[in-house]
Amino acid sequence: MRKVVKVRLYPTQEQQILLAQTFGCSRWWWNYALNKSIETYRETGKGLSQSALNALLPALKKDSETIWLGECYSQVLQATTLNLTTAYKNFFDKRAGFPRFKSKKDKQSVQYPQNVKVLDGIVKLPGNIGEVKAKVHRPIEGKIKTVTLSKCPSGKYFASILTEVEGDNPVASTEGKVVGVDLGLKHFAIVSDGNKVSKFDNPKHLAKRAHVLKRRQQKLARKTKGSNTRYKYTKIVAKVYERISNTRQDFLHKLSTKLVNENQVVVVENLHVKGMVRNHNMSRSISDAGWGTFTNFLAYKLERKGGKLVEIDRWFPSSKLCSNCYHQVDEMSLDVREWTCPHCGTHHDRDGNAATNIRAEGIRMLKTDGTAVSASGGEVRPRGGRKSNLRHSPVRLEAPPSGSATHLATQSYRTMVLTPEF
């Protein structure tokens, strides 16, 4: 099992110069190797492997124009090559976009694959940098695998220490409390455990500091491009962005930890955030919420605990389905926050009803997979009324008659699979 601890570094002025040189060497080698790979592919139709790229380094270190590469710790450059080949692999496996060239204006980072020691308040790096003062806020457990040094646009230095600890993550179990989480904008998360619904307000981190960010950006725009004052003021703007990011991360970590500690199974919707931000009226609010990051936090924390994260289909009609009788309404606009079921007369809060339906659908998926679920904390069966054609329905042995309501519903939601009633 691997863990990461991120600590703050406080290098001296001399160490900052050496780190800047190391960042520059790594960045230059990344851009050179990427450009060389692109040119080779255009000429031969084949790329360059990791060993082929590393074979170019000795000649570059002897060249009079690039002799300064020899001053950089050799394993840093080799780690850069490894990261580039990994980026290519992720691109061809369709897990990421094509590798991009790096700029000195962006976040800088280098990786030390070995020979790094973490002492009391000190991170000892190989090469000419030596011991760097650090704020080690928690003990480093296990064997150190790699250490990634980074410099933020605000000018702060950090070290991400990857360690390997003996043992594996506990076996995932679904025996325990199950909750459904509906993510939104007015309320960031609406959580239902089957009996009660809890709402967590959206802090709207960007909106709270929009006026400060606007003033800082206006002052930055007045600075002459390329001047020292503009360069210094970019750090001031970066600090505002950093504070927004830190407060968002803090909120997401605390809420995800709370849900993981109190529950064994968390059910969420598999939202297509990339497509949702194309709505220009809501893109800023959606991006500021951080739904994707929150889901990732839930996933790895539940994995470490031995819990389980269940993602239901994004097209599941959680808002338009009555959680009491499972009657589904045809249309429901976003401005409708409360509604009454025309079949059983139950009055619903839109988000609370959606969270309850998400929880029930997650339990259905677990039972369909043959997983034992205790489902403590509320009913998971419909309490009367017409069952929906999309969920909690018995398997049909024959196709519904053409033109019937069942046939039309089935055609409209082809992605929904009819599964046995539980």
Side-chain angles (χ1 to χ4, degrees):
M1 183 172 61
R2 294 189 173 185
K3 295 184 178 181
V4 178
V5 177
K6 189 174 182 180
V7 301
R8 176 81 180 273
L9 298 180
Y10 299 91
T12 62
Q13 191 67 31
E14 181 181 356
Q15 288 174 335
Q16 290 182 22
I17 296 174
L18 295 174
L19 285 173
Q21 294 174 353
T22 304
F23 291 142
C25 291
S26 175
R27 183 179 63 249
W28 184 91
W29 169 238
W30 170 283
N31 293 339
Y32 180 87
L34 177 57
N35 183 66
K36 195 73 173 178
S37 299
I38 295 173
E39 290 180 349
T40 303
Y41 182 80
R42 288 175 179 173
E43 295 173 359
T44 64
K46 297 181 179 180
L48 294 174
S49 64
Q50 179 182 350
S51 58
L53 289 172
N54 284 332
L56 301 174
L57 284 171
L60 290 172
K61 292 179 180 179
K62 295 178 181 178
D63 193 331
S64 58
E65 294 184 358
T66 55
I67 195 173
W68 38 267
L69 278 176
E71 300 176 3
C72 181
Y73 186 59
S74 61
Q75 293 190 10
V76 168
L77 300 179
Q78 294 174 10
T80 303
T81 311
L82 175 61
N83 292 336
L84 178 60
T85 54
T86 303
Y88 262 110
K89 189 175 186 301
N90 291 335
F91 167 70
F92 287 118
D93 292 343
K94 297 183 179 180
R95 290 194 298 266
F98 189 79
R100 295 183 295 179
F101 292 95
K102 294 187 177 182
S103 170
K104 64 179 181 180
K105 296 180 181 179
D106 300 329
K107 179 181 177 180
Q108 307 297 310
S109 65
V110 292
Q111 193 175 81
Y112 288 86
Q114 58 184 5
N115 299 329
V116 178
K117 296 181 180 180
V118 180
L119 307 176
D120 186 16
I122 290 175
V123 175
K124 188 176 181 181
L125 301 172
N128 54 1
I129 297 178
E131 297 180 351
V132 182
K133 183 181 177 182
K135 180 66 174 178
V136 184
H137 57 283
R138 64 182 64 182
I140 307 299
E141 302 176 354
K143 180 182 178 182
I144 298 177
K145 302 295 291 183
T146 60
V147 175
T148 302
L149 266 61
S150 59
K151 180 185 178 183
C152 298
S154 61
K156 296 179 181 179
Y157 294 84
F158 294 93
S160 298
I161 305 168
L162 175 64
T163 60
E164 189 171 32
V165 184
E166 293 183 0
D168 298 326
N169 289 322
V171 179
S173 171
T174 56
E175 292 294 331
K177 193 174 180 181
V178 184
V179 292
V181 181
D182 181 45
L183 301 176
L185 293 178
K186 181 179 180 181
H187 298 285
F188 176 82
I190 300 90
V191 182
S192 173
D193 64 358
N195 287 327
K196 65 176 182 178
V197 176
S198 303
K199 295 185 177 182
F200 298 89
D201 292 334
N202 185 3
K204 298 181 180 179
H205 310 281
L206 183 60
K208 287 182 179 179
R209 294 174 176 82
H211 62 289
V212 177
L213 183 60
K214 180 181 178 180
R215 289 201 301 267
R216 299 292 187 272
Q217 289 177 326
Q218 286 176 339
K219 291 183 179 180
L220 176 63
R222 299 190 188 104
K223 309 299 180 184
T224 305
K225 291 185 178 181
S227 63
N228 289 332
T229 53
R230 184 182 179 88
Y231 172 73
K232 293 178 181 178
Y233 214 84
T234 54
K235 292 186 177 182
I236 297 177
V237 176
K239 287 181 180 180
V240 180
Y241 278 111
E242 185 180 64
R243 184 171 182 82
I244 295 173
S245 176
N246 289 343
T247 54
R248 182 187 299 113
Q249 293 270 334
D250 181 71
F251 169 76
L252 297 178
H253 271 299
K254 288 179 178 178
L255 180 56
S256 59
T257 301
K258 175 181 174 62
L259 293 178
V260 170
N261 290 341
E262 296 177 355
N263 307 283
Q264 186 67 17
V265 180
V266 180
V267 187
V268 296
E269 286 183 298
N270 181 17
L271 298 175
H272 183 37
V273 180
K274 186 176 180 180
M276 297 172 70
V277 295
R278 293 173 185 168
N279 183 341
H280 300 295
N281 296 326
M282 304 171 63
S283 59
R284 178 178 293 183
S285 299
I286 294 174
S287 300
D288 183 37
W291 294 335
T293 304
F294 178 70
T295 305
N296 291 338
F297 287 173
L298 287 175
Y300 87 81
K301 291 178 181 179
L302 283 168
E303 183 180 3
R304 289 183 179 179
K305 175 191 174 184
K308 190 174 183 64
L309 177 70
V310 180
E311 291 184 291
I312 69 172
D313 191 87
R314 65 188 60 163
W315 299 112
F316 176 73
S318 58
S319 298
K320 298 187 291 183
L321 212 61
C322 174
S323 59
N324 182 62
C325 67
Y326 295 111
H327 172 80
Q328 181 183 336
V329 298
D330 295 332
E331 298 292 338
M332 184 178 296
S333 58
L334 288 175
D335 60 337
V336 178
R337 309 316 303 172
E338 295 182 359
W339 63 284
T340 302
C341 176
H343 184 268
C344 65
T346 304
H347 187 72
H348 294 293
D349 173 76
R350 179 193 180 109
D351 297 330
N353 176 69
T356 303
N357 286 327
I358 289 171
R359 175 183 179 273
E361 174 66 5
I363 295 175
R364 183 196 67 81
M365 291 174 61
L366 291 174
K367 287 183 173 292
T368 303
D369 294 338
T371 306
V373 185
S374 64
S376 60
E379 294 290 336
V380 295
R381 294 172 60 96
R383 291 182 290 274
R386 182 183 64 84
K387 297 181 178 65
S388 169
N389 294 318
L390 306 179
R391 60 199 299 275
H392 308 303
S393 303
V395 174
R396 296 181 180 275
L397 300 179
E398 58 182 2
S402 177
S404 66
T406 303
H407 174 77
L408 295 176
T410 306
Q411 292 297 321
S412 301
Y413 296 91
R414 296 175 183 173
T415 57
M416 301 302 297
V417 180
L418 298 178
T419 54
E421 183 182 24
F422 64 87

